[in-house]
């Protein structure tokens, strides 16, 4: 059964490649005339993204995790994330890894929740900071009328909070489970923030990861000769990643590409060049690491690390 499970990721990536082959081929062809030095730099920055993700994962656990296995698990989690929707692949791989390291189930799930929360706070915080520093970076008035975006966000937030409140009030058993989970999570959060090394790993990695991802996009843009300031590209990436994260597509495929293209056009890039930049970005961060990541995932399953 374990040998069969090891083959499942390869079957999934084969199906994924067939269904997305036109995007892969288009991305490769458009990058044919790009500056190779900047593309190599983009590949190096992509590798650093897994280091940052590993730092955040370590920052969510008080116990010290094995460094090499943690880094390998995050590389495999990146591949799994592109095969399952809404980030479930990465969370499942990480949960299995934490359980294999002896972390109880309630604390492992609390660590996953803390990771998602800190990562969201870091992205939104970075976006707000950069928009305040460079107010002309995003021209939102070209997409929505003034004030409409803020009203929509507030309305959605109010509806979600009201729905969750009603569910918790009606379902007593669910309310008890949620409160027990929150109690465990808050206990771990307090313990983590008493250790400076864990605090630095948690928040430093959460800030570094989106910046490194944005750095890959900047490298591809420079390789294609996009005449847009680098900090505008970083703002475009943060805005697009937050927007695309609301759509539960596997690895953001089908949601990240249009969101990034629109964001790059909003900061001043021509549409054709913006499309080529997005395809190059996805080639470095998704398509090239996918098969090696799946191989590592299968190896970790076979060696009973997952």
């Amino acid at each position: 059964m374990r040998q069969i499970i090891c083959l499942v990721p390869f079957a999934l990536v084969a199906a994924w490649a067939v269904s997305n082959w036109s995007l892969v081929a288009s991305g490769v062809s458009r990058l044919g005339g790009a500056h190779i030095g900047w593309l190599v730099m983009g590949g190096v920055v992509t590798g650093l993204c897994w280091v940052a993700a590993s730092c955040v994962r370590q920052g969510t656990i008080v116990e010290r995790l094995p460094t090499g296995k943690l880094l390998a698990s995050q590389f495999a989690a990146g591949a799994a994330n592109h095969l399952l929707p809404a980030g479930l692949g990465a969370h499942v791989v990480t949960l299995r890894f934490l359980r294999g390291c002896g972390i109880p189930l309630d604390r492992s799930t609390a660590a996953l929740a803390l990771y998602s929360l800190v990562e969201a706070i870091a992205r939104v915080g970075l976006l707000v900071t950069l928009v305040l520093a460079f107010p002309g970076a995003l021209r939102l008035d070209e997409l929505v009328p003034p004030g409409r975006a803020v009203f929509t966000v507030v309305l959605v937030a109010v509806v979600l909070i009201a729905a969750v409140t009603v569910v918790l009030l009606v379902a007593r058993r669910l309310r008890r489970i949620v409160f027990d989970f929150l109690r465990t999570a808050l206990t771990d959060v307090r313990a983590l923030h008493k250790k400076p090394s864990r605090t630095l790993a948690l928040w430093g990695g959460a800030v570094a990861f989106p910046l490194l991802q944005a750095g890959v996009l900047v490298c591809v843009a420079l390789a294609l000769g996009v005449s847009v300031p680098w900090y505008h590209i970083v703002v475009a990436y943060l805005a697009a990643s937050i927007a695309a994260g609301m759509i539960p597509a596997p690895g953001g495929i089908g949601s990240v590409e249009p969101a990034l293209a629109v964001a790059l056009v909003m900061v001043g890039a021509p549409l054709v060049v913006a499309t080529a930049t997005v395809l190059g970005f996805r080639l470095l961060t998704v398509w090239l690491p996918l098969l090696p990541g799946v191989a590592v995932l299968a190896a970790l399953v076979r060696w009973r690390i997952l």
Side-chain angles (χ1 to χ4, degrees):
M1 180 62 68
R2 185 171 292 274
Q3 291 177 349
I4 293 174
I5 293 175
C6 290
L7 296 176
V8 170
F10 291 99
L12 290 175
V13 75
W16 181 94
V18 170
S19 61
N20 293 276
W21 182 250
S22 61
L23 281 175
V24 177
S26 178
V28 172
S29 63
R30 287 180 181 274
L31 291 176
H35 191 283
I36 189 64
W38 282 115
L39 292 181
V40 172
M41 180 62 69
V44 172
V45 178
T46 300
L48 294 176
C49 292
W50 294 306
V51 177
S54 300
C55 288
V56 185
R57 297 294 187 185
Q58 176 62 84
T60 61
I61 297 295
V62 176
E63 294 84 355
R64 183 172 181 81
L65 302 173
T67 305
K69 293 180 180 179
L70 174 60
L71 185 59
S73 72
Q74 292 312 292
F75 183 54
N81 199 44
H82 301 306
L83 303 177
L84 292 175
L88 291 178
H91 287 326
V92 169
V93 170
T94 302
L95 180 63
R96 294 293 301 169
F97 173 73
L98 294 178
R99 296 290 291 126
C101 292
I103 309 300
L105 180 60
D106 56 345
R107 294 186 54 220
S108 297
T109 53
L112 296 181
L114 179 61
Y115 175 91
S116 299
L117 177 62
V118 170
E119 196 267 349
I121 292 174
R123 283 182 189 270
V124 175
L126 284 171
L127 178 61
V128 171
T129 301
L130 289 175
V131 168
L132 291 176
F134 309 103
L138 283 179
R139 298 190 289 269
L140 292 175
D141 54 333
E142 296 182 3
L143 293 180
V144 294
R148 180 71 60 82
V150 175
F151 174 76
T152 302
V153 171
V154 172
L155 180 61
V156 171
V158 170
V159 171
L160 288 177
I161 293 173
V164 172
T165 303
V166 171
V167 171
L168 291 179
L169 289 176
V170 173
R172 181 179 302 176
R173 185 176 180 181
L174 178 61
R175 182 169 67 247
R176 184 171 64 253
I177 294 174
V178 171
F179 287 165
D180 290 342
F181 172 78
L182 290 176
R183 190 179 302 109
T184 300
L186 291 175
T187 301
D188 275 7
V189 168
R190 285 195 295 267
L192 287 168
H193 284 82
K194 290 179 181 179
K195 303 186 68 171
S197 60
R198 296 294 183 269
T199 304
L200 179 61
L202 179 64
W203 291 101
V207 172
F209 182 78
L211 288 179
L212 288 171
Q213 288 266 297
V216 179
L217 187 64
V218 171
C219 290
V220 176
L222 292 174
L224 294 173
V226 177
S227 58
V228 175
W230 65 268
Y231 45 85
H232 283 199
I233 298 177
V234 174
V235 170
Y237 167 78
L238 292 172
S241 63
I242 292 171
M246 300 177 184
I247 302 175
I253 298 169
S255 58
V256 170
E257 288 87 355
L260 272 177
V262 170
L264 287 173
V265 170
M266 289 168 59
V267 297
L271 179 58
V272 175
V273 181
T275 303
T277 302
V278 172
L279 292 174
F281 171 77
R282 296 298 272 179
L283 180 69
L284 289 179
T285 58
V286 177
W287 303 329
L288 291 182
L290 186 58
L291 189 58
V294 169
V296 172
L297 176 61
L300 293 178
V301 172
R302 186 175 182 82
W303 296 337
R304 300 179 183 273
I305 296 175
L306 298 179

